[in-house]
Protein backbone atom coordinates (compact mmCIF):
# COMPACT_ATOMS: atom_id res chain seq x y z
CA UNK A 1 0.00 0.00 0.00
CA UNK A 2 3.06 2.26 0.46
CA UNK A 3 3.66 2.17 -3.30
CA UNK A 4 0.03 3.01 -3.99
CA UNK A 5 0.18 5.87 -1.51
CA UNK A 6 3.29 7.26 -3.25
CA UNK A 7 1.58 7.00 -6.65
CA UNK A 8 -1.50 8.73 -5.30
CA UNK A 9 0.66 11.45 -3.76
CA UNK A 10 2.48 11.99 -7.07
CA UNK A 11 -0.83 12.13 -8.96
CA UNK A 12 -2.22 14.59 -6.41
CA UNK A 13 0.86 16.83 -6.59
CA UNK A 14 0.67 16.81 -10.40
CA UNK A 15 -2.99 17.71 -10.17
CA UNK A 16 -2.25 20.58 -7.76
CA UNK A 17 0.56 21.78 -10.04
CA UNK A 18 -1.78 21.67 -13.04
CA UNK A 19 -4.45 23.65 -11.15
CA UNK A 20 -1.87 26.22 -10.10
CA UNK A 21 -0.55 26.42 -13.67
CA UNK A 22 -3.94 27.12 -15.20
CA UNK A 23 -4.90 29.43 -12.38
CA UNK A 24 -1.88 31.65 -12.14
CA UNK A 25 -1.22 33.37 -15.51
CA UNK A 26 -0.72 37.11 -15.00
CA UNK A 27 -2.00 36.86 -11.45
CA UNK A 28 0.52 39.25 -9.89
CA UNK A 29 1.00 42.71 -11.40
CA UNK A 30 3.88 45.03 -10.53
CA UNK A 31 4.39 48.65 -11.48
CA UNK A 32 7.45 50.69 -10.67
CA UNK A 33 10.79 52.14 -11.68
CA UNK A 34 12.67 49.76 -13.98
CA UNK A 35 16.36 50.39 -13.36
CA UNK A 36 19.54 48.72 -14.45
CA UNK A 37 21.57 48.01 -11.32
CA UNK A 38 25.30 48.79 -11.52
CA UNK A 39 26.71 46.86 -8.58
CA UNK A 40 30.19 47.58 -7.37
CA UNK A 41 32.34 47.31 -4.24
CA UNK A 42 33.76 50.64 -3.03
CA UNK A 43 35.52 51.85 0.11
CA UNK A 44 34.30 54.10 2.93
CA UNK A 45 36.23 57.00 1.42
CA UNK A 46 34.18 56.73 -1.77
CA UNK A 47 30.94 57.03 0.22
CA UNK A 48 32.38 59.98 2.15
CA UNK A 49 33.37 61.72 -1.06
CA UNK A 50 29.69 61.74 -2.13
CA UNK A 51 28.26 62.15 1.40
CA UNK A 52 26.52 58.78 1.26
CA UNK A 53 25.35 56.53 4.12
CA UNK A 54 26.46 52.87 4.00
CA UNK A 55 22.92 51.46 4.22
CA UNK A 56 20.50 53.85 2.57
CA UNK A 57 18.60 54.63 -0.63
CA UNK A 58 18.53 58.09 -2.21
CA UNK A 59 17.72 59.77 -5.49
CA UNK A 60 20.83 61.14 -7.20
CA UNK A 61 21.34 64.90 -6.96
CA UNK A 62 23.67 67.02 -9.06
CA UNK A 63 26.68 66.15 -6.88
CA UNK A 64 26.13 62.39 -7.46
CA UNK A 65 26.00 62.52 -11.25
CA UNK A 66 29.73 61.70 -11.78
CA UNK A 67 29.33 58.34 -9.98
CA UNK A 68 27.88 56.53 -13.01
CA UNK A 69 30.65 57.63 -15.38
CA UNK A 70 33.34 56.83 -12.81
CA UNK A 71 32.08 53.31 -12.24
CA UNK A 72 32.09 52.63 -15.97
CA UNK A 73 35.42 54.27 -16.79
CA UNK A 74 37.67 53.58 -13.85
CA UNK A 75 39.03 50.33 -12.45
CA UNK A 76 35.85 49.20 -10.76
CA UNK A 77 34.39 45.75 -11.31
CA UNK A 78 30.78 46.53 -12.17
CA UNK A 79 28.08 43.90 -12.69
CA UNK A 80 24.80 44.78 -14.42
CA UNK A 81 21.39 43.28 -13.63
CA UNK A 82 17.73 44.30 -13.91
CA UNK A 83 16.85 46.24 -10.77
CA UNK A 84 14.42 48.68 -9.25
CA UNK A 85 12.56 47.57 -6.13
CA UNK A 86 9.25 46.49 -7.68
CA UNK A 87 10.89 44.82 -10.65
CA UNK A 88 13.08 42.78 -8.27
CA UNK A 89 10.06 41.69 -6.22
CA UNK A 90 8.24 40.58 -9.36
CA UNK A 91 11.35 38.71 -10.59
CA UNK A 92 11.58 36.78 -7.32
CA UNK A 93 7.84 35.98 -7.29
CA UNK A 94 8.07 34.79 -10.89
CA UNK A 95 11.06 32.59 -10.04
CA UNK A 96 9.03 30.83 -7.34
CA UNK A 97 5.80 30.59 -9.34
CA UNK A 98 7.89 29.13 -12.18
CA UNK A 99 5.04 29.35 -14.70
CA UNK A 100 5.53 31.49 -17.87
CA UNK A 101 3.97 34.93 -17.46
CA UNK A 102 2.52 34.24 -14.02
CA UNK A 103 3.53 37.85 -13.32
CA UNK A 104 3.56 41.11 -15.25
CA UNK A 105 5.51 44.34 -14.88
CA UNK A 106 5.00 47.87 -16.19
CA UNK A 107 7.26 50.95 -16.07
CA UNK A 108 9.15 53.35 -18.33
CA UNK A 109 12.54 52.76 -20.00
CA UNK A 110 14.63 54.54 -22.64
CA UNK A 111 15.22 53.47 -26.22
CA UNK A 112 18.80 52.32 -25.57
CA UNK A 113 21.06 49.34 -24.90
CA UNK A 114 20.29 49.38 -21.14
CA UNK A 115 16.57 49.22 -21.93
CA UNK A 116 17.12 46.40 -24.44
CA UNK A 117 19.22 44.50 -21.87
CA UNK A 118 16.41 44.80 -19.36
CA UNK A 119 13.70 43.62 -21.77
CA UNK A 120 15.77 40.58 -22.74
CA UNK A 121 16.44 39.64 -19.08
CA UNK A 122 12.79 39.94 -18.11
CA UNK A 123 11.67 37.90 -21.12
CA UNK A 124 14.20 35.18 -20.28
CA UNK A 125 12.87 35.09 -16.70
CA UNK A 126 9.32 34.57 -18.00
CA UNK A 127 7.79 37.89 -16.94
CA UNK A 128 5.29 39.64 -19.22
CA UNK A 129 6.39 43.26 -19.52
CA UNK A 130 4.72 46.23 -21.12
CA UNK A 131 7.27 49.05 -20.89
CA UNK A 132 6.54 52.56 -22.00
CA UNK A 133 9.59 53.45 -24.12
CA UNK A 134 10.62 57.12 -24.01
CA UNK A 135 12.99 57.90 -26.89
CA UNK A 136 14.16 61.18 -25.31
CA UNK A 137 15.51 59.95 -21.98
CA UNK A 138 17.99 57.18 -21.09
CA UNK A 139 16.96 54.11 -19.09
CA UNK A 140 17.23 54.67 -15.33
CA UNK A 141 20.20 53.28 -13.43
CA UNK A 142 20.93 52.56 -9.80
CA UNK A 143 24.46 52.57 -8.43
CA UNK A 144 24.59 49.82 -5.80
CA UNK A 145 27.67 50.70 -3.76
CA UNK A 146 28.77 47.86 -1.53
CA UNK A 147 30.93 48.33 1.56
CA UNK A 148 31.26 45.10 3.52
CA UNK A 149 27.74 43.72 3.96
CA UNK A 150 26.06 47.10 3.44
CA UNK A 151 24.57 48.60 0.32
CA UNK A 152 24.12 52.28 -0.51
CA UNK A 153 21.69 52.86 -3.40
CA UNK A 154 21.97 55.97 -5.56
CA UNK A 155 19.27 56.11 -8.20
CA UNK A 156 19.18 58.18 -11.36
CA UNK A 157 15.57 57.67 -12.46
CA UNK A 158 15.77 59.26 -15.93
CA UNK A 159 13.20 57.37 -18.08
CA UNK A 160 11.63 55.67 -15.04
CA UNK A 161 10.50 59.13 -13.95
CA UNK A 162 8.62 59.70 -17.22
CA UNK A 163 5.89 57.10 -16.79
CA UNK A 164 2.52 58.43 -18.02
CA UNK A 165 -0.97 57.61 -16.82
CA UNK A 166 -2.14 57.43 -20.45
CA UNK A 167 0.05 54.33 -20.88
CA UNK A 168 -1.64 52.67 -17.89
CA UNK A 169 -5.09 53.40 -19.39
CA UNK A 170 -4.12 51.98 -22.81
CA UNK A 171 -5.83 48.63 -23.57
CA UNK A 172 -2.53 46.69 -23.69
CA UNK A 173 -1.61 47.79 -20.14
CA UNK A 174 -5.05 47.95 -18.57
CA UNK A 175 -5.73 44.34 -19.67
CA UNK A 176 -2.72 43.30 -17.54
CA UNK A 177 -4.33 45.13 -14.60
CA UNK A 178 -7.73 43.49 -15.05
CA UNK A 179 -6.15 40.02 -15.54
CA UNK A 180 -4.33 40.29 -12.19
CA UNK A 181 -5.77 39.70 -8.71
CA UNK A 182 -2.75 40.93 -6.75
CA UNK A 183 -0.91 44.25 -7.17
CA UNK A 184 2.47 45.22 -5.78
CA UNK A 185 3.99 48.70 -6.08
CA UNK A 186 7.02 49.89 -4.14
CA UNK A 187 6.70 53.29 -2.43
CA UNK A 188 9.44 54.60 -4.76
CA UNK A 189 6.73 55.01 -7.43
CA UNK A 190 5.15 57.75 -5.27
CA UNK A 191 7.82 60.08 -6.67
CA UNK A 192 6.69 59.26 -10.23
CA UNK A 193 2.94 58.75 -10.41
CA UNK A 194 0.77 58.41 -7.31
CA UNK A 195 -2.19 58.92 -9.72
CA UNK A 196 -1.42 55.55 -11.35
CA UNK A 197 -1.20 53.88 -7.95
CA UNK A 198 -4.60 55.31 -7.02
CA UNK A 199 -6.15 54.20 -10.33
CA UNK A 200 -5.00 50.62 -9.70
CA UNK A 201 -6.06 50.93 -6.05
CA UNK A 202 -9.57 51.97 -7.13
CA UNK A 203 -9.81 48.91 -9.37
CA UNK A 204 -8.56 46.65 -6.55
CA UNK A 205 -11.19 48.04 -4.15
CA UNK A 206 -14.03 47.73 -6.69
CA UNK A 207 -13.12 44.11 -7.49
CA UNK A 208 -12.03 43.13 -3.95
CA UNK A 209 -8.49 42.35 -5.15
CA UNK A 210 -5.30 42.67 -3.09
CA UNK A 211 -3.23 45.89 -3.29
CA UNK A 212 0.23 45.93 -1.68
CA UNK A 213 2.76 48.69 -1.15
CA UNK A 214 6.24 48.85 0.33
CA UNK A 215 7.33 51.93 2.33
CA UNK A 216 10.66 51.50 0.48
CA UNK A 217 12.85 54.26 1.98
CA UNK A 218 12.86 56.68 4.94
CA UNK A 219 12.88 59.76 2.67
CA UNK A 220 9.47 58.86 1.19
CA UNK A 221 7.37 59.27 4.34
CA UNK A 222 9.29 62.50 5.02
CA UNK A 223 9.24 64.22 1.62
CA UNK A 224 6.36 62.41 -0.13
CA UNK A 225 4.06 62.17 2.86
CA UNK A 226 1.04 63.65 1.07
CA UNK A 227 0.94 61.21 -1.87
CA UNK A 228 1.77 58.35 0.53
CA UNK A 229 -1.20 59.31 2.72
CA UNK A 230 -3.44 59.31 -0.38
CA UNK A 231 -2.35 55.82 -1.50
CA UNK A 232 -2.37 54.13 1.95
CA UNK A 233 -6.20 53.76 2.15
CA UNK A 234 -5.98 51.37 -0.83
CA UNK A 235 -3.33 49.17 0.79
CA UNK A 236 -4.30 45.69 1.99
CA UNK A 237 -0.70 44.73 2.77
CA UNK A 238 2.13 47.11 3.70
CA UNK A 239 5.75 45.90 3.70
CA UNK A 240 8.69 47.77 5.20
CA UNK A 241 12.00 47.36 7.02
CA UNK A 242 12.61 48.64 10.54
CA UNK A 243 14.25 51.96 9.53
CA UNK A 244 11.42 52.83 7.13
CA UNK A 245 8.83 51.82 9.74
CA UNK A 246 10.36 54.09 12.39
CA UNK A 247 10.70 56.97 9.92
CA UNK A 248 7.02 56.48 9.01
CA UNK A 249 6.06 56.49 12.69
CA UNK A 250 7.90 59.79 13.20
CA UNK A 251 6.48 61.43 10.07
CA UNK A 252 2.91 60.26 10.71
CA UNK A 253 2.98 61.25 14.39
CA UNK A 254 2.72 57.78 15.96
CA UNK A 255 5.17 58.70 18.74
CA UNK A 256 6.57 55.19 19.00
CA UNK A 257 9.70 53.31 18.00
CA UNK A 258 8.17 49.95 19.00
CA UNK A 259 7.61 47.99 15.77
CA UNK A 260 4.59 46.12 17.14
CA UNK A 261 2.90 49.39 18.10
CA UNK A 262 3.80 51.02 14.76
CA UNK A 263 2.43 48.02 12.83
CA UNK A 264 -0.82 48.13 14.80
CA UNK A 265 -1.25 51.89 14.26
CA UNK A 266 -0.42 51.64 10.56
CA UNK A 267 -2.97 48.83 10.18
CA UNK A 268 -5.60 51.00 11.86
CA UNK A 269 -5.24 53.94 9.42
CA UNK A 270 -8.28 54.55 7.17
CA UNK A 271 -8.91 51.82 4.59
CA UNK A 272 -11.14 51.86 1.51
CA UNK A 273 -11.86 48.14 1.16
CA UNK A 274 -13.55 47.04 4.38
CA UNK A 275 -13.84 43.44 3.13
CA UNK A 276 -10.18 42.89 4.05
CA UNK A 277 -8.29 43.93 7.18
CA UNK A 278 -4.86 45.46 6.55
CA UNK A 279 -1.79 43.35 7.17
CA UNK A 280 1.53 45.02 8.06
CA UNK A 281 4.87 43.24 7.72
CA UNK A 282 8.14 44.70 9.05
CA UNK A 283 11.42 42.91 8.31
CA UNK A 284 14.47 43.84 10.37
CA UNK A 285 17.56 42.11 9.03
CA UNK A 286 18.56 39.20 11.25
CA UNK A 287 16.00 40.10 13.93
CA UNK A 288 12.47 38.63 13.90
CA UNK A 289 9.96 39.75 11.26
CA UNK A 290 7.04 41.58 12.88
CA UNK A 291 3.58 40.92 11.43
CA UNK A 292 0.32 42.60 12.42
CA UNK A 293 -2.69 40.66 11.16
CA UNK A 294 -6.26 40.12 12.39
CA UNK A 295 -5.75 42.22 15.50
CA UNK A 296 -2.53 40.69 16.77
CA UNK A 297 1.24 41.06 16.47
CA UNK A 298 3.29 37.95 15.70
CA UNK A 299 7.09 37.74 15.52
CA UNK A 300 8.75 35.25 13.19
CA UNK A 301 12.43 34.43 13.83
CA UNK A 302 14.47 34.61 10.62
CA UNK A 303 16.37 31.71 9.08
CA UNK A 304 19.86 31.64 10.58
CA UNK A 305 22.70 32.36 8.14
CA UNK A 306 26.32 32.38 9.22
CA UNK A 307 27.82 35.85 8.60
CA UNK A 308 30.51 34.56 6.23
CA UNK A 309 27.76 33.40 3.82
CA UNK A 310 26.26 36.88 3.53
CA UNK A 311 27.49 38.53 0.34
CA UNK A 312 25.37 41.69 0.43
CA UNK A 313 21.96 42.75 1.67
CA UNK A 314 20.89 44.52 -1.53
CA UNK A 315 17.44 43.31 -2.58
CA UNK A 316 16.72 41.38 0.63
CA UNK A 317 13.51 43.29 1.35
CA UNK A 318 12.40 43.12 -2.29
CA UNK A 319 13.07 39.38 -2.30
CA UNK A 320 11.13 38.89 0.94
CA UNK A 321 8.09 40.58 -0.63
CA UNK A 322 8.49 38.47 -3.80
CA UNK A 323 8.72 35.18 -1.93
CA UNK A 324 5.81 36.13 0.32
CA UNK A 325 3.57 37.16 -2.61
CA UNK A 326 4.37 34.03 -4.63
CA UNK A 327 2.83 31.98 -1.80
CA UNK A 328 0.12 34.52 -0.92
CA UNK A 329 -1.27 34.68 -4.45
CA UNK A 330 -1.64 30.90 -4.31
CA UNK A 331 -3.68 31.37 -1.12
CA UNK A 332 -1.22 29.59 1.14
CA UNK A 333 -1.44 29.97 4.93
CA UNK A 334 0.17 33.13 6.35
CA UNK A 335 2.95 31.19 8.12
CA UNK A 336 3.91 29.53 4.83
CA UNK A 337 3.92 32.92 3.06
CA UNK A 338 6.24 34.42 5.68
CA UNK A 339 8.46 31.34 5.46
CA UNK A 340 8.67 31.69 1.67
CA UNK A 341 9.55 35.38 2.08
CA UNK A 342 12.37 34.53 4.48
CA UNK A 343 13.63 31.76 2.22
CA UNK A 344 13.78 34.23 -0.70
CA UNK A 345 15.58 36.91 1.34
CA UNK A 346 18.04 34.33 2.62
CA UNK A 347 18.74 33.17 -0.95
CA UNK A 348 19.31 36.73 -2.23
CA UNK A 349 21.69 37.90 0.51
CA UNK A 350 23.99 34.98 -0.26
CA UNK A 351 24.60 36.27 -3.81
CA UNK A 352 25.59 39.64 -5.25
CA UNK A 353 22.58 41.86 -6.00
CA UNK A 354 19.17 40.42 -6.82
CA UNK A 355 20.58 37.49 -8.82
CA UNK A 356 18.31 34.49 -9.26
CA UNK A 357 19.69 30.97 -9.64
CA UNK A 358 19.20 29.34 -13.05
CA UNK A 359 16.25 26.93 -13.05
CA UNK A 360 17.23 23.31 -13.70
Amino acid sequence: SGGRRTLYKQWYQRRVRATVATMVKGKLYGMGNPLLDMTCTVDEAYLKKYELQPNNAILAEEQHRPIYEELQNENYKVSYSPGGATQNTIRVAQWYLNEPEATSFVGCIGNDSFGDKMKACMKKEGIKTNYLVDPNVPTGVCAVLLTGKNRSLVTKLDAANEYKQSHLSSPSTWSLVTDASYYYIAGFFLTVSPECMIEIGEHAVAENKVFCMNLSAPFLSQFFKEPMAKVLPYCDIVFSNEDEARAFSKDFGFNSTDLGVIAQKLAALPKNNDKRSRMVIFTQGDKPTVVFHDGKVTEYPVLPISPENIVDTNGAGDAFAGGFLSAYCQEEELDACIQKGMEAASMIIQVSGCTLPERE
Side-chain angles (χ1 to χ4, degrees), residues 232-243:
L232 274 168
Y234 298 98
C235 297
D236 299 299
I237 305 178
V238 177
F239 296 90
S240 156
N241 71 21
E242 74 276 37
D243 297 339

Side-chain angles (χ1 to χ4, degrees), residues 88-146:
N88 280 343
T89 293
I90 295 298
R91 289 173 60 227
V92 170
Q94 174 65 41
W95 189 85
Y96 276 108
L97 290 165
N98 197 23
E99 176 63 32
E101 300 187 353
T103 59
S104 60
F105 178 80
V106 172
C108 185
I109 59 176
N111 189 11
D112 52 24
S113 64
F114 279 3
D116 293 343
K117 233 182 217 171
M118 193 130 59
K119 271 191 209 158
C121 282
M122 295 290 273
K123 189 174 178 170
K124 185 171 174 247
E125 291 179 14
I127 298 153
K128 189 174 176 69
T129 58
N130 192 24
Y131 293 116
L132 168 62
V133 178
D134 187 323
N136 306 315
V137 196
T139 296
V141 288
C142 175
V144 180
L145 306 172
L146 307 177

